[in-house]
Amino acid sequence: MDANTQNISEATIALIDSLKSTTSHYGLANSGSEYKIITEMFLYKYFNDKFGYEAKRDKIYGERLSKADKWDAEYDKFTEEEVEDLFSYLPASVPLLKPEHTLAHLYNTSGAGDFSTRLDATLIDIANLNADTFSVVTSGKSRVNIFSALTQFVTDPQKRDDFARSLMSSVASFNFESVFAEKYDFFSRIFEYLIKDYNNAGGGKYAEYYTPRAIAQVMARLLVGDNADLRGMTCYDPSAGTGTLLMALAHQIGEDRCTIFSQDISEKSSEMLRLNLILNNLSGSLPNVVQGNTLTEPYHKEENGALRKFDFVVSNPPFNLDFSDFRDTLASDTVRFWAGVPSVPAKKKESMSIYLCFIQHLINSLKTTGKGAIVIPTGFITAKSGVERKVLTKIIDNHWVYGCISMPSNVFANTGTNVSVLFFDKSASADKVILIDASKLGEEYKEGKNKKRRLLKDDIDLIVNTFKNKEAVEDFSVAVSYDEIKDKGYSLSAGQYFDIKINYVDITEEEFNSRMAEYRKTLSEQFAESHRLEEEIMKQLDALHFNVNVGNNE
């Protein structure tokens, strides 16, 4: 990371911290609205700077704006006709702002009364102006705009103006323009910092779990390759969360060479995914971001009602979840869920293995030439019964699975479950399956009270190169045929295929006799001590007598 990027990274993190400080000061820390306030103000700042950056590069009006001391002050002088004309020249993915929407214009009115109302109205106006480009939809086809009123979350109306001024003061401190060419490499780290306090197990029933960036990179590099020349690719995640897997995939393919499709039940995750797409120059895929239950209402379908098929499908689904409310509905769909659906346990409903439904949905969503990868609990790869076994048998018998990597423990902060990543190729063209035990890789670190482990760059390279070359490395990896897997009881655990090594050490007859004598001496001493203890115990037992007076109160 060069000095300029390092500086802007520090400034961006300082911006986020400043916004968090404001929400904390007004009693909104850790509230359900805090993430919305921070991400929307962050995005408003991004929109402002992105619009200014693109407007200054416009062939017609760019020179006028870039030569001015302050582009936004010059933009205030534009007529309505000039504004509309500028809009028509800008690329479709650029957010549009009218002169009264710019941060400088709004900030200059912060001393006037009722400023909170003005801020909210500006954000809503920007959202409406950009609704066709930046809104997302629910599975019921309702439109969710990108901005909403923010100051309403402060319950005391008398404090809202000061709250609004404080938010505006935070975002007025620096400019994003110098890193717009950085895209994924810059914004992925910023995004991770931006959401880290709002993406955890405290999210309720559908808690979001942030996929570690290293795992996302491994999945993307192995699915796509490091130098693939692909175009027009479609990428899908049925449990998209905040989009880490999709961003890594798009970055590996090339943001201009793929289209993103997603669905997630969480409103919060869908909002954050939208932000992630915008920051990573993938605004064109925003119409394909859907909030809703993928299992009961899969949104992405063909005209005939069949599931849409994609070139790449990735997923880090919830592992265990009580879905008894709609379990029977899923079970009735025997085409999509060909291996069945887990039953509702008699007592512990929360342990229903919902990930098994996502594995089947993922495979059903792949083109005949498509590739996919999914994060699953490691226990699945040696399953012996139930739906788990049926899924495992099917993906091996059909030669769909072509690799499995068992990851280190504690790579996820909020769950102690050991995870593995399965790789699928619907073309079934692999002759061998590469199994990797990466459980010993990575470095330990602490985040709050949680002990975590992360893969380093060298670890990622080792995994990727070993997988791609299908190398057999002692106690790390093995490449096995499908018949060998069946002979091992359909196990995808690398450790079960490793050779057991017995090390022999040459010694002389004199050394052998000496060691044997020492063993005999040690054993004789231990036997003697054992006999002594036996005799002592027997003596203690002989000394015990029944007390006839016990219980006699006279």
Side-chain angles (χ1 to χ4, degrees):
M1 187 183 292
D2 61 34
N4 177 60
T5 304
Q6 179 67 36
N7 290 338
I8 197 70
S9 293
E10 292 173 359
T12 307
I13 288 171
L15 160 64
I16 297 166
D17 287 342
S18 178
L19 289 169
K20 288 182 178 179
S21 177
T22 295
T23 55
S24 177
H25 180 73
Y26 285 87
L28 296 171
N30 302 315
S31 66
S33 57
E34 186 184 24
Y35 85 92
K36 183 181 288 287
I37 295 166
I38 291 172
T39 55
E40 289 194 12
M41 286 303 298
F42 181 92
L43 190 57
Y44 173 42
K45 172 63 176 173
Y46 178 90
F47 268 28
N48 181 86
D49 293 354
K50 181 71 170 176
F51 174 79
Y53 173 78
E54 295 290 351
K56 284 189 285 184
R57 298 171 69 194
D58 178 66
K59 291 180 180 179
I60 306 299
Y61 295 98
E63 185 175 1
R64 175 181 168 187
L65 291 171
S66 58
K67 284 187 174 181
D69 289 339
K70 294 182 179 180
W71 73 267
D72 32 28
E74 182 62 30
Y75 187 44
D76 266 342
K77 301 174 185 176
F78 274 40
T79 65
E80 288 186 18
E81 290 76 14
E82 288 173 328
V83 170
E84 290 298 325
D85 198 34
L86 172 61
F87 285 176
S88 69
Y89 292 121
L90 294 175
S93 61
V94 176
L96 303 178
L97 273 69
K98 294 180 179 179
E100 64 269 25
H101 295 155
T102 67
L103 197 149
H105 184 101
L106 187 59
Y107 191 71
N108 288 336
T109 68
S110 60
D114 210 15
F115 181 63
S116 58
T117 301
R118 193 174 293 107
L119 171 59
D120 287 341
T122 298
L123 292 176
I124 292 171
D125 205 23
I126 294 172
N128 290 332
L129 178 63
N130 292 275
D132 290 341
T133 306
F134 293 104
S135 62
V136 297
V137 297
T138 66
S139 55
K141 299 190 177 180
S142 298
R143 176 175 282 180
V144 181
N145 277 347
I146 196 158
F147 294 121
S148 57
L150 296 180
T151 64
Q152 62 180 329
F153 295 115
V154 175
T155 54
D156 185 349
Q158 301 300 317
K159 295 181 178 179
R160 288 176 183 169
D161 282 355
D162 287 340
F163 175 64
R165 291 186 188 100
S166 184
L167 291 175
M168 287 294 293
S169 178
S170 294
V171 297
S173 58
F174 75 101
N175 196 298
F176 274 132
E177 288 189 29
S178 61
V179 290
F180 282 135
E182 296 284 343
K183 294 188 295 185
Y184 178 85
D185 288 333
F186 173 76
F187 281 111
S188 64
R189 291 179 173 86
I190 295 303
F191 183 77
E192 189 170 348
Y193 186 81
L194 182 65
I195 70 169
K196 70 185 181 71
D197 291 334
Y198 315 114
N199 203 58
N200 51 51
K205 184 176 181 180
Y206 298 102
E208 296 82 12
Y209 293 101
Y210 184 85
T211 307
R213 193 163 174 262
I215 292 181
Q217 287 178 318
V218 168
M219 293 167 70
R221 287 179 64 184
L222 290 178
L223 288 174
V224 178
D226 284 330
N227 298 295
D229 185 16
L230 303 174
R231 297 179 187 278
M233 293 292 102
T234 54
C235 305
Y236 171 54
D237 189 337
S239 54
T242 56
T244 309
L245 295 181
L246 286 171
M247 293 307 102
L249 198 56
H251 179 61
Q252 196 68 23
I253 296 170
E255 292 87 349
D256 59 341
R257 298 181 177 189
C258 66
T259 304
I260 298 297
F261 295 82
S262 74
Q263 190 164 349
D264 195 280
I265 198 167
S266 166
E267 177 185 356
K268 180 166 68 173
S269 286
S270 298
E271 289 183 359
M272 290 181 173
L273 170 56
R274 177 172 56 182
L275 171 60
N276 214 354
L277 287 171
I278 293 168
L279 295 180
N280 286 286
N281 224 26
L282 285 158
S283 298
S285 292
L286 282 171
N288 308 322
V289 174
V290 177
Q291 179 200 334
N293 188 329
T294 304
L295 298 181
T296 59
E297 297 179 282
Y299 183 85
H300 300 292
K301 293 183 177 182
E302 305 290 356
E303 289 184 4
N304 63 4
L307 288 180
R308 182 167 182 168
K309 311 296 183 183
F310 301 93
D311 295 298
F312 295 101
V313 184
V314 288
S315 177
N316 175 20
F319 289 172
N320 300 307
L321 190 70
D322 172 14
F323 60 98
S324 55
D325 291 348
F326 53 88
R327 186 264 169 199
D328 291 344
T329 301
L330 301 185
S332 66
D333 188 351
T334 56
V335 174
R336 187 159 54 126
F337 302 110
W338 31 261
V341 174
S343 299
V344 179
K347 295 181 180 178
K348 197 177 179 184
K349 288 185 178 181
E350 65 271 20
S351 66
M352 295 175 72
S353 300
I354 196 170
Y355 74 91
L356 294 167
C357 299
F358 278 98
I359 293 178
Q360 296 175 75
H361 179 83
L362 181 152
I363 292 171
N364 292 333
S365 300
L366 284 171
K367 291 181 178 179
T368 54
T369 55
K371 288 186 174 183
I374 188 169
V375 181
I376 44 95
T378 294
F380 167 80
I381 66 177
T382 55
K384 300 297 182 186
S385 62
V387 178
E388 292 91 338
R389 180 67 173 190
K390 291 178 182 177
V391 173
L392 191 59
T393 302
K394 181 94 168 179
I395 63 178
I396 292 169
D397 284 347
N398 285 278
H399 295 198
W400 289 334
V401 63
Y402 71 100
C404 177
I405 303 171
S406 295
M407 293 295 180
S409 299
N410 299 321
V411 290
F412 289 91
N414 303 307
T415 175
T417 305
N418 290 332
V419 305
S420 295
V421 182
L422 294 179
F423 291 84
F424 301 105
D425 184 350
K426 203 66 177 291
S427 71
S429 57
D431 58 345
K432 290 208 168 185
V433 181
I434 178 71
L435 307 176
I436 294 178
D437 180 3
S439 60
K440 298 180 181 66
L441 299 184
E443 67 170 7
E444 284 191 354
Y445 70 104
K446 208 167 183 182
E447 188 173 90
K449 295 180 180 179
N450 295 316
K451 277 189 177 180
K452 295 177 64 178
R453 198 165 189 87
R454 60 186 160 208
L455 295 175
L456 304 177
K457 183 181 182 302
D458 288 345
D459 298 323
I460 295 172
D461 290 339
L462 173 62
I463 292 171
V464 169
N465 292 332
T466 303
F467 191 107
K468 286 165 62 177
N469 297 327
K470 292 192 175 180
E471 293 178 320
V473 179
E474 186 175 336
D475 293 333
F476 179 67
S477 65
V478 62
V480 293
S481 69
Y482 290 97
D483 286 337
E484 288 177 278
I485 293 174
K486 293 174 187 178
D487 290 341
K488 282 286 186 181
Y490 287 84
S491 172
L492 294 176
S493 174
Q496 294 194 17
Y497 298 86
F498 293 155
D499 292 332
I500 299 174
K501 303 290 184 182
I502 301 176
N503 294 321
Y504 295 93
V505 179
D506 291 332
I507 60 174
T508 64
E509 183 178 358
E510 182 179 350
E511 288 174 318
F512 174 78
N513 291 333
S514 174
R515 290 186 186 184
M516 291 302 293
E518 185 65 30
Y519 296 151
R520 287 177 180 276
K521 178 184 176 184
T522 301
L523 281 172
S524 295
E525 292 173 352
Q526 290 175 342
F527 287 155
E529 177 64 11
S530 175
H531 291 317
R532 187 190 68 77
L533 291 172
E534 289 173 7
E535 292 174 1
E536 181 65 29
I537 291 170
M538 293 304 293
K539 287 178 182 178
Q540 293 290 338
L541 289 173
D542 290 341
L544 296 175
H545 298 285
F546 180 71
N547 187 345
V548 296
N549 294 318
V550 173
N552 190 346
N553 295 324
E554 296 181 3

